Amino acid sequence: MRRVNGVSVIGRAIAAGFGATTPSSSSAAVARSAARHQLLQESTFSSGPLCFAGRFSAGFGRSSPYAGTMCFSNAASLAQDPHAKGGPKSSHEFFPKDVVLYQYEACPFCNKVKAFLDFYDIPYKVVEVNPINKKEIKWSDYKKVPILKVDGEQMVDSSDIIDTLIQRINPENPALESEEENKWRRWVDNHLVHVLSPNIYRTASEALESFDYITTRGNFSFYERMVAKYGGAAAMYFVSKKLKKRHNITDERAALYDAVETWVDALKGRQFLGLVTSGSNPNLADLSVFGILRPIRHLQSGRDMVENTRIGEWYSRMESAVGKSSRIEA
């Protein structure tokens, strides 16, 4: 396997896929998203480890099947009941026939999109992208994940994807967003995501735990799995140290705990940050934080996070609010 500066092609591919998503089928929109994505990659995650978060971690995924047509089954109920799962009252029914997410299973930005789709009960198929050859997205000019196809329309950059979908769900009152909501969505992309990689690859044992998870769910051949597990864990252990230095992190766990405590403080006693019915429903900021944290929840870093901070109750409420996955299995 070809090596680049001591890090395998797998690792480089993993790191490259770490980005946010943008809705657009036009080449101009894709180019705009790519430029924005490059900014993210220069920070901690898009170039970094979790999605496979950095140089190596992008291959986290579980390969997934293609399935048949689907519809937005909850649209009618959302239009009638503002307290239903899905939150804001919608005066329009959104019925996409085919939704396909191209992803890495542990990518935080991919998980942000999935949290949105799950919350709004939008059925979707998943295509796990092989981080080595990316053959599953050869058709696209955009070479990062997530990519969402909605009835054949390509959308990229996680935040843009979510913005586009919420506008289609609520065309008369698109996002019902406040400045507070937008502020915390930006915080997720510009800060929270960057403390994850130094935590999940903090020690050699944690790096191996992460890559064991990654390689048992990812779209790897047996050989690629072995190389990725041991080579990737070693590579990301060292890469995470560079990311730690880049983002001025002196204590990885302290940085993670501080970030999630900052989020809990932002709730100001509300069940969720969401403003609908005085905080009784999650908003897009809630969904973003939840999606970003979900891939690490059952790793050592996530277990420590829940045990040592106040995030646990909010996280449990979000699990209940988001509910079962809307993913269509084969």
Side-chain angles (χ1 to χ4, degrees):
M1 181 173 292
R2 181 167 61 91
R3 309 286 295 188
V4 180
N5 295 326
V7 179
S8 78
V9 174
I10 297 176
R12 207 172 59 166
I14 281 172
F18 229 95
T21 35
T22 318
S24 43
S25 50
S26 71
S27 58
V30 170
R32 174 173 58 82
S33 178
R36 179 171 137 187
H37 200 95
Q38 182 61 33
L39 293 176
L40 283 175
Q41 285 202 327
E42 290 171 0
S43 66
T44 291
F45 244 10
S46 282
S47 65
L50 184 67
C51 193
F52 265 18
R55 305 226 170 219
F56 225 88
S57 76
F60 244 74
R62 173 174 39 166
S63 56
S64 294
Y66 298 82
T69 57
M70 59 187 74
C71 68
F72 184 15
S73 60
N74 203 33
S77 64
L78 292 183
Q80 297 168 4
D81 182 6
H83 301 287
K85 177 186 171 185
K89 186 175 182 179
S90 172
S91 60
H92 180 77
E93 294 185 0
F94 176 49
F95 292 101
K97 295 179 180 178
D98 190 59
V99 179
V100 183
L101 177 66
Y102 295 81
Q103 67 153 25
Y104 299 133
E105 181 68 16
C107 165
F109 296 107
C110 298
N111 275 275
K112 187 167 68 167
V113 173
K114 287 192 289 187
F116 179 91
L117 296 173
D118 292 340
F119 180 68
Y120 280 95
D121 286 337
I122 302 175
Y124 59 95
K125 295 169 283 189
V126 168
V127 175
E128 194 66 31
V129 175
N130 186 306
I132 301 172
N133 54 36
K134 298 186 180 180
K135 62 183 179 181
E136 295 81 3
I137 55 174
K138 293 286 187 185
W139 54 270
S140 175
D141 291 335
Y142 190 78
K143 299 305 179 185
K144 300 177 178 69
V145 294
I147 297 174
L148 190 71
K149 287 185 74 174
V150 178
D151 292 338
E153 176 187 357
Q154 176 181 241
M155 301 181 184
V156 297
D157 186 300
S158 61
S159 293
D160 286 352
I161 286 175
I162 289 169
D163 287 343
T164 295
L165 293 179
I166 198 67
Q167 289 168 8
R168 295 183 184 182
I169 291 169
N170 291 293
E172 294 181 2
N173 197 1
L176 300 176
E177 288 183 89
S178 66
E179 179 53 39
E180 180 187 37
E181 184 174 2
N182 283 319
K183 168 189 170 181
W184 289 103
R185 290 182 69 192
R186 292 191 297 269
W187 175 83
V188 169
D189 290 344
N190 296 329
H191 178 70
L192 178 60
V193 74
H194 299 313
V195 304
L196 299 189
S197 295
N199 274 279
I200 64 175
Y201 305 111
R202 182 181 63 150
T203 65
S205 62
E206 287 182 87
L208 276 172
E209 177 196 34
S210 300
F211 269 88
D212 184 63
Y213 173 84
I214 289 164
T215 55
T216 55
R217 291 163 176 79
N219 191 9
F220 295 94
S221 67
F222 176 78
Y223 174 73
E224 290 167 350
R225 178 183 173 187
M226 293 300 100
V227 171
K229 179 176 179 178
Y230 294 101
M236 282 311 304
Y237 171 77
F238 291 106
V239 168
S240 69
K241 304 309 174 188
K242 293 182 179 180
L243 293 171
K244 177 181 173 181
K245 183 177 180 180
R246 179 189 301 174
H247 296 286
N248 299 313
I249 296 172
T250 56
D251 183 317
E252 299 95 326
R253 284 296 195 268
L256 176 62
Y257 298 164
D258 181 68
V260 297
E261 288 288 352
T262 297
W263 170 249
V264 174
D265 287 340
L267 297 175
K268 299 177 182 177
R270 291 170 287 184
Q271 295 288 296
F272 306 108
L273 190 76
L275 300 178
V276 177
T277 60
S278 301
S280 64
N281 282 303
N283 65 12
L284 299 183
D286 289 292
L287 291 172
S288 293
V289 176
F290 177 72
I292 291 292
L293 293 179
R294 192 157 58 170
I296 75 165
R297 172 61 184 89
H298 297 291
L299 298 177
Q300 186 61 54
S301 54
R303 295 192 295 270
D304 289 349
M305 174 187 72
V306 170
E307 182 177 343
N308 292 285
T309 72
R310 297 171 293 155
I311 196 73
E313 291 185 5
W314 172 85
Y315 190 92
S316 295
R317 289 194 296 270
M318 285 299 301
E319 284 187 309
S320 297
V322 171
K324 294 181 179 180
S325 173
S326 297
R327 174 174 172 169
I328 295 176
E329 301 290 350

